[in-house]
Amino acid sequence: PLDGTLNAQKGNRNPFEFFRRKDIREKIDVERFEELVFWLAVINDMTVEEFEDYTNRKYEELYRLKYCDNAE
């Protein structure tokens, strides 16, 4: 499981963007994160790349819904 402090820092951020930060990568077991991503991809019948692309698209959609569509 993710450390409580890191989980609070991550909040609702895209996990891929969050874990790319150097200060965060220094605090996590990168191998375990990569294993988790692999497992999530497999159970969703995707490659790791497809899963990351899917996740990024969903976070972009959420961002647009929250910040762009309501700007009118």
Side-chain angles (χ1 to χ4, degrees):
L2 186 61
D3 173 87
T5 303
L6 283 174
N7 194 38
Q9 282 182 292
K10 184 202 157 295
N12 63 357
R13 292 180 182 89
N14 178 328
F16 291 102
E17 291 178 10
F18 181 73
F19 289 118
R20 277 190 197 104
R21 290 177 31 190
K22 186 178 190 270
D23 62 320
I24 300 304
R25 287 186 77 81
E26 292 171 349
K27 297 177 184 177
I28 66 164
D29 182 337
V30 175
E31 187 174 312
R32 286 187 68 199
F33 176 73
E34 290 172 352
E35 288 174 5
L36 172 64
V37 171
F38 176 79
W39 179 78
L40 290 169
V42 168
I43 66 168
N44 285 287
D45 196 29
M46 298 178 186
T47 66
V48 169
E49 294 78 17
E50 290 169 332
F51 181 73
E52 184 171 355
D53 289 343
Y54 173 82
T55 302
N56 289 334
R57 279 195 317 274
K58 291 303 174 185
Y59 272 89
E60 288 171 12
E61 289 172 15
L62 286 171
Y63 180 86
R64 279 194 303 273
L65 284 172
K66 185 173 183 178
Y67 296 107
C68 298
D69 291 348
N70 296 327
E72 298 176 26

